[in-house]
């Protein structure tokens, strides 16, 4: 009887702890980005919109994707495995240019900005020379 009573008393605590566990994202593989085939994106990320920039002379084009929990709670946790995949394909992060949720990466003469949010990320290609 004591075991049953103890289990019943612990049940709300277990449910509370389960609810506090951060939700995670899952990457099922990679495919080419809709805006630049040289940029990998998770295959299970859903393209929300392609973006054309006509009002900012430093931005070329962009794409916004949805992937639940990719940035962790409030976008505070960048997806390290995704950034590792980018590094494996030749993209190098320009760490001194990072601005909060926005990470800048360079490959050859191309510079991109990746903005990580809780459930989405946006990739923006910069005009050549914009970061100089």
């Amino acid at each position: 009887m004591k075991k049953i009573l103890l289990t019943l008393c612990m049940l709300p605590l277990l449910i509370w702890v389960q609810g506090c566990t951060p939700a995670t994202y899952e990457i099922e593989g990679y495919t080419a980005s809709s805006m630049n085939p040289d940029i990998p994106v998770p295959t299970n990320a859903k393209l929300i919109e392609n973006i054309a920039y006509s009002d900012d002379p430093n931005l070329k084009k962009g794409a916004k994707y949805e992937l639940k929990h990719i940035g962790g709670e409030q976008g505070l946790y960048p997806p390290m495995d995704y950034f590792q995949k980018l590094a494996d394909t030749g993209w190098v992060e320009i760490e001194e240019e990072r601005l909060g949720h926005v990470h800048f990466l360079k490959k050859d003469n191309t510079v991109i900005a990746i903005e990580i949010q809780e459930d989405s990320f946006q990739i923006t290609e910069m005009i050549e020379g914009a970061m100089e």
Side-chain angles (χ1 to χ4, degrees):
M1 184 67 176
K2 286 183 179 181
K3 287 183 181 181
I4 293 173
L5 188 57
L6 182 61
T7 302
L8 289 174
C9 290
M10 293 298 292
L11 190 58
L13 178 62
L14 292 173
I15 291 171
W16 178 76
V17 168
Q18 171 100 14
C20 292
T21 304
T24 59
Y25 66 98
E26 184 176 325
I27 294 178
E28 299 170 355
Y30 294 92
T31 189
S33 167
S34 65
M35 59 172 266
N36 182 330
D38 205 26
I39 304 170
V41 295
T43 55
N44 54 320
K46 177 184 171 190
L47 177 65
I48 297 173
E49 68 177 315
N50 283 310
I51 305 164
Y53 295 97
S54 59
D55 57 342
D56 191 322
N58 294 314
L59 306 179
K60 190 173 183 180
K61 56 188 170 182
K64 186 169 185 174
Y65 295 88
E66 178 182 62
L67 182 58
K68 293 292 182 195
H69 311 297
I70 189 159
E73 185 177 337
Q74 298 178 3
L76 298 175
Y77 307 101
M80 298 316 295
D81 50 346
Y82 179 44
F83 282 102
Q84 183 60 53
K85 177 64 175 179
L86 289 163
D88 291 347
T89 57
W91 292 96
V92 177
E93 184 166 6
I94 310 167
E95 293 185 19
E96 63 273 10
E97 296 291 336
R98 184 183 303 170
L99 298 169
H101 298 281
V102 183
H103 302 257
F104 293 91
L105 295 96
K106 183 175 185 170
K107 181 176 182 180
D108 301 324
N109 292 326
T110 304
V111 176
I112 59 172
I114 299 181
E115 181 178 1
I116 304 293
Q117 296 297 323
E118 184 170 349
D119 294 322
S120 66
F121 62 100
Q122 181 172 317
I123 303 170
T124 304
E125 188 172 334
M126 314 290 285
I127 296 293
E128 191 170 332
M131 295 295 292
E132 296 174 355

